[in-house]
Amino acid sequence: MSVTPLQALPLDQLRQRSSTKWRTYGDDVLPLFVAETDFAPAPAITAALSRAVALGDTGYTPPDPGIAAAYSGFARRRFGWEIDPARVRTTCDVMMGVVEILRRVTEPGDRVIVTTPVYPPFFECIPEAGAVVERVPLRDTGTAWELDLVGIEAAFAAGARAILLCNPHNPTGTVHSRETLAALADLAARFGAVVISDEIHAPLTHRDVTFTPFLDASPVAARVGYAVVSASKAFNLAGLKCALMVTAVDETSAVVRALPAEVEWRTGLFGAIAAVAAFSPESDEWLDAQLAALDANRALLAELLAANLPAARYRIPDAGFLAWVDLSELGWGDNPAVKVLRDARVALHLGPLFGEEGRGHVRINFGCSPEVLREAVERIAQISR
């Protein structure tokens, strides 16, 4: 079925926003760095928040704002995943949920695996929980990235107690297969380790790929895993502060239930209200339209780079609105985003922040209009000549 792509808002309107994307740099810079998108909110979200403001509904978040049931329905519709709403608990954001779970499943000094290049806050939230980062880089097959199960097995065998999984992966946009996730679960079970799966980008999996929630990958995965999810990336709600911690069996559910009440009190009321609206069937059409726009843009970026920056290396991502691009051959050093910002006035995310594997790379946010994406690449091409 054909879906009409969502249209990004015009730049003059976007520049009136007060978020990080639009207040970090001046109006001469095209901001394609932080993970914020340029679309108007889903109508159901706008209506729900507008009603809350009109009512003065700005107090404390209630014990059951309806988000567990809403996400359960969303997961069933979008992923074919059956969730027991009683096994869902909320908190402020995904990284806070990760830290709180890590504090309960690791001891101070325990090693936690991350699969680099990976979302930079992973390197901060693990020490915040008292653990130590252990890097096991993704395997580059030449055509895709995948988990290095041999390397992960070695790390578990050497004593790593957990793995912090990015599924779908940021920055590469990789969606791990059910078979890979099941194999990871088997390794964790063998060594008595746990898997914490950050699935914030899952709603943005593109139509030609199937997303498998880690907890649904196998019965073993359900036993060893925790998932932390949010509407914030797919629906551009990061400032409203709401995430969900999801479990699948009694043992892991007990761990999350035992978290202090304050962990749940940190959930923003507007975040909960917006998330209920986002995960409702009423927002499915909007999400599909956004995915159509992002699908077009991920292909457009490949065309633009091939035409204007043929030395750039880019693989079309399976999910999301973030592109991982290797600019090493341009000779712009380990951190090419610095030159791009200075000389082209385009802000990209700094590759080395994602780990050693990010040297020579940039991350590009293509959750914008085709016109902005085109101008950004053309500006970068100008400084390469």
Side-chain angles (χ1 to χ4, degrees):
M1 182 179 68
S2 177
V3 177
T4 301
L6 204 61
Q7 298 297 305
L9 295 171
L11 270 177
D12 60 346
Q13 186 173 344
L14 291 165
R15 292 196 186 280
Q16 296 176 46
R17 290 180 172 180
S18 61
S19 62
T20 291
K21 185 173 186 178
W22 301 102
R23 287 293 181 268
T24 301
Y25 303 104
D27 287 356
D28 62 326
V29 171
L30 292 177
L32 304 182
F33 66 115
V34 72
E36 299 179 26
T37 53
D38 294 356
F39 305 103
I45 294 173
T46 300
L49 292 175
S50 297
R51 181 175 184 274
V53 171
L55 289 171
D57 191 7
T58 55
Y60 292 110
T61 307
D64 181 11
I67 190 170
Y71 186 70
S72 178
F74 181 86
R76 184 182 304 112
R77 294 193 312 276
R78 308 297 292 199
F79 311 138
W81 179 26
E82 294 292 337
I83 295 173
D84 179 354
R87 299 190 189 277
V88 177
R89 198 169 183 199
T90 66
T91 190
C92 180
D93 56 38
V94 164
M95 286 298 98
M96 185 172 290
V98 166
V99 169
E100 294 299 339
I101 294 170
L102 277 173
R103 283 176 174 154
R104 271 65 189 180
V105 301
T106 62
E107 298 292 335
D110 279 351
R111 287 176 286 121
V112 177
I113 299 165
V114 298
T115 55
T116 50
V118 77
Y119 182 51
F122 277 24
F123 301 114
E124 298 175 1
C125 73
I126 291 171
E128 183 181 347
V132 177
V133 172
E134 174 151 350
R135 294 166 171 82
V136 178
L138 295 176
R139 287 187 64 250
D140 185 346
T141 68
T143 58
W145 290 277
E146 61 183 28
L147 296 178
D148 179 2
L149 293 174
V150 173
I152 292 169
E153 180 179 14
F156 280 148
R161 304 304 304 145
I163 179 169
L164 179 49
L165 181 68
C166 206
N167 178 43
H169 196 87
N170 175 5
T172 64
T174 304
V175 172
H176 303 298
S177 70
R178 179 177 296 274
E179 293 75 19
T180 295
L181 296 175
L184 174 62
D186 289 344
L187 289 174
R190 190 196 317 167
F191 293 101
V194 302
V195 180
I196 302 172
S197 187
D198 169 0
E199 300 185 353
I200 198 169
H201 293 275
L204 294 174
T205 301
H206 294 290
R207 288 181 175 273
D208 54 348
V209 181
T210 299
F211 171 74
T212 300
F214 179 78
L215 297 179
D216 196 44
S218 71
V220 175
R223 293 201 307 272
V224 302
Y226 300 80
V228 190
V229 304
S230 176
S232 63
K233 288 294 185 288
F235 295 90
N236 205 38
L237 303 175
L240 298 186
K241 296 303 178 185
C242 177
L244 297 83
M245 300 169 287
V246 184
T247 51
V249 298
D250 290 346
E251 292 77 10
T252 51
S253 296
V255 171
V256 173
R257 279 198 305 272
L259 294 173
E262 186 61 31
V263 173
E264 198 157 49
W265 271 105
R266 294 168 186 160
T267 307
L269 178 58
F270 275 15
I273 290 169
V276 170
F279 291 137
S280 73
E282 193 177 355
S283 291
D284 283 354
E285 183 178 348
W286 182 94
L287 180 57
D288 289 338
Q290 181 184 218
L291 280 165
L294 298 178
D295 183 27
N297 275 0
R298 64 178 179 152
L300 174 62
L301 180 57
E303 296 170 9
L304 292 171
L305 291 174
N308 296 280
L309 282 168
R313 287 176 288 180
Y314 160 63
R315 292 175 188 150
I316 293 176
D318 298 330
F321 50 84
L322 305 171
W324 188 235
V325 182
D326 184 354
L327 299 181
S328 300
E329 291 187 13
L330 293 173
W332 292 349
D334 287 346
N335 200 359
V338 174
K339 177 178 174 62
V340 171
L341 176 60
R342 183 186 67 231
D343 297 342
R345 308 309 288 159
V346 177
L348 308 177
H349 210 320
L350 309 174
L353 292 182
F354 294 81
E356 290 293 319
E357 298 75 20
R359 291 183 178 181
H361 289 68
V362 295
R363 195 190 72 178
I364 301 176
N365 178 344
F366 57 82
C368 58
S369 70
E371 294 76 20
V372 166
L373 189 60
R374 189 181 310 287
E375 181 179 345
V377 174
E378 289 175 353
R379 286 191 190 186
I380 298 169
Q382 286 292 329
I383 67 172
S384 72
R385 294 174 184 144

